[in-house]
Amino acid sequence: MASIAQFFEPERHLPGALGQVAEDPVVLAEILVLFRIVLADGVVQPSQLTAFERICEQHFGINRRDMPELHALLDSPKARSCDAKAFTLLGQLDMAARTTLLEHMVEIARASSDGAECDSRLILRMADLLGLEPVLPELQRVPGAVEEKRQGYE
């Protein structure tokens, strides 16, 4: 019922960089894809969440005190709509921006305390969807990750 009520409530304007993110579907798609890495293994690890929030602050200009609002935005109907077409939206990024996005994904995955294989598989899949060739040696250390890419995507 609460999500239905949100459709009828006036959309509140978010402050500063967070407001700009909310209005730019491509940037919102970038942040959603980064957050997928945090959620990849089904456990939100504090180290990965910290890396995600640092990237949001440094790359997107989102103030740390606005993180609760960012997380609410990521769970909003607007974000769910954006998430459904994320790779179409990310296709609008130039190769440098796609490469930066992939580097941020790797940074979040590396923050994991257990180095989960699913993070590496997800990043390899994301690189493929972004049209990038992953030349990241830290991804190739995961047993089966490179072989899986060769078998599944060539």
Side-chain angles (χ1 to χ4, degrees):
M1 290 300 287
S3 62
I4 293 172
Q6 289 177 355
F7 283 114
F8 298 105
E9 292 176 4
E11 191 173 315
R12 69 183 186 105
H13 183 69
L14 297 169
L18 193 54
Q20 293 171 355
V21 167
E23 297 304 316
D24 187 338
V26 175
V27 174
L28 186 54
E30 285 183 86
I31 293 173
L32 283 163
V33 166
L34 291 172
F35 197 63
R36 282 184 186 171
I37 299 299
V38 174
L39 301 174
D41 61 359
V43 178
V44 177
Q45 295 185 20
S47 57
Q48 287 185 313
L49 190 58
T50 298
F52 167 77
E53 291 178 349
R54 184 177 11 80
I55 290 166
C56 287
E57 182 176 36
Q58 292 172 350
H59 188 73
F60 300 104
I62 299 170
N63 192 304
R64 284 205 183 258
R65 66 178 177 267
D66 291 333
M67 288 302 157
E69 287 86 1
L70 174 62
H71 291 287
L73 174 62
L74 295 177
D75 194 36
S76 72
K78 178 183 261 185
R80 284 190 288 279
S81 170
C82 186
D83 193 32
K85 53 188 175 187
F87 286 98
T88 301
L89 293 167
L90 294 176
Q92 298 174 30
L93 296 173
D94 62 23
M95 287 309 241
R98 291 179 195 191
T99 301
T100 299
L101 178 60
L102 188 64
E103 289 169 355
H104 288 151
M105 293 167 72
V106 170
E107 184 178 339
I108 292 168
R110 275 211 232 126
S112 173
S113 61
D114 63 2
E117 183 177 337
C118 65
D119 290 351
S120 295
R121 285 193 309 240
L122 179 60
I123 290 171
L124 286 170
R125 179 69 179 136
M126 296 289 197
D128 186 52
L129 291 169
L130 290 170
L132 298 172
E133 187 64 36
V135 291
L136 304 165
E138 59 272 3
L139 292 180
Q140 297 174 357
R141 278 192 234 132
V142 177
V146 173
E147 293 77 16
E148 182 177 317
K149 177 167 178 22
R150 287 188 191 127
Q151 291 171 4
Y153 302 113
E154 291 185 339

